[in-house]
Amino acid sequence: MKPYLICHMIASVDGRTSLRRWRPVDESRGALFERLHERLGSDAWLVGRVTGEEYGKLDAYPRHIEEIYPREPWFVRRDAAAYGIVLDAQGKIAWGRADIGGDPDGVSYIFAGERQLDLGRALAILSEELGIKRLELNGGGVTNGSFLRAGLIDEISLAIFPAVDGAKGASCVFDSHDAEAGAAAPVRAMTLASSEVLEGGAVWLRYRLENG
């Protein structure tokens, strides 16, 4: 069993996600994202490596070439109230910290796939080992797009703000690498579960997805 996966994002009316590029400027948008995050009530949140690097405190870890570590999952703790999870297949992020916003890392790690990351297996491990039942995906567009094309997203939670970016190539809610651009997501249906007008003219939309 995998966790119920919610892709939770905020975007401008043209679907862009880099807040610093939005016009007009409004510093309250990040705080509103956090309030919606709390309302979703997830057990954990997940981002990709590029987003995860924003939380790292070191440029790099020292190289310990004399040590060999077994290729098996390792967990600092299994009883946390919430977890912050980062997809970092090459182990490039140098954390240098014990938590992210109070959610522990410590840093635990898992392996999912022999040569390439198996997203479905990663979700199953998080459920089996940590008891995560409800997971929030806050990735960049490429990470979100990977889960979408794998048919793993159960719900899209999207808050659209009265702002525009307007630039070609700007970060968006769902994206892909060039090699994946032709792969269609296996989404058979989307059902509007709720809609809500928020302060400042934003609109919060929640859709349930049927994959297959």
Side-chain angles (χ1 to χ4, degrees):
M1 293 292 292
K2 75 170 187 64
Y4 182 83
L5 185 61
I6 306 170
C7 181
H8 174 55
M9 300 291 290
I10 61 176
S12 60
V13 295
D14 52 345
R16 308 303 187 179
T17 57
S18 182
L19 276 67
R20 58 185 171 78
R21 297 172 51 91
W22 293 1
R23 295 297 183 272
V25 175
D26 185 341
E27 300 297 334
S28 68
R29 291 164 181 155
L32 179 55
F33 171 84
E34 292 299 328
R35 292 201 297 275
L36 297 181
H37 159 76
E38 293 297 326
R39 289 177 60 180
L40 289 173
S42 299
D43 304 318
W45 51 266
L46 184 152
V47 297
R49 181 184 60 81
V50 175
T51 302
E53 284 181 334
E54 299 175 7
Y55 300 105
K57 290 292 187 180
L58 303 176
D59 292 331
Y61 283 126
R63 296 183 62 85
H64 297 291
I65 57 174
E66 71 281 2
E67 297 185 56
I68 299 176
Y69 297 94
R71 188 180 172 84
E72 59 187 32
W74 186 80
F75 300 98
V76 175
R77 57 185 298 187
R78 298 171 183 265
D79 59 349
Y83 294 92
I85 301 163
V86 178
L87 300 181
D88 184 16
Q90 304 301 318
K92 294 182 177 180
I93 302 175
W95 291 105
R97 62 191 302 169
D99 71 278
I100 301 175
D103 296 338
D105 53 56
V107 173
S108 304
Y109 55 84
I110 65 172
F111 295 92
E114 291 295 326
R115 293 286 180 262
Q116 294 182 334
L117 181 59
D118 183 333
L119 296 177
R121 180 58 186 149
L123 294 184
I125 292 172
L126 294 175
S127 175
E128 295 163 3
E129 298 287 350
L130 299 178
I132 295 173
K133 302 302 180 188
R134 192 174 176 87
L135 176 60
E136 188 177 310
L137 173 63
N138 312 127
V142 171
T143 296
N144 293 345
S146 295
F147 279 95
L148 184 72
R149 288 186 297 278
L152 296 171
I153 295 178
D154 299 294
E155 179 180 330
I156 295 175
S157 165
L158 180 63
I160 301 175
F161 285 79
V164 293
D165 183 311
K168 181 180 180 180
S171 301
C172 56
V173 177
F174 294 103
D175 208 341
S176 72
H177 294 298
D178 290 342
E180 304 161 327
V187 178
R188 292 194 298 180
M190 292 179 60
T191 303
L192 181 63
S194 65
S195 62
E196 182 178 340
V197 177
L198 306 172
E199 61 263 35
V203 179
W204 186 22
L205 305 173
R206 297 180 66 178
Y207 288 93
R208 300 286 175 84
L209 271 62
E210 180 182 339
N211 297 292

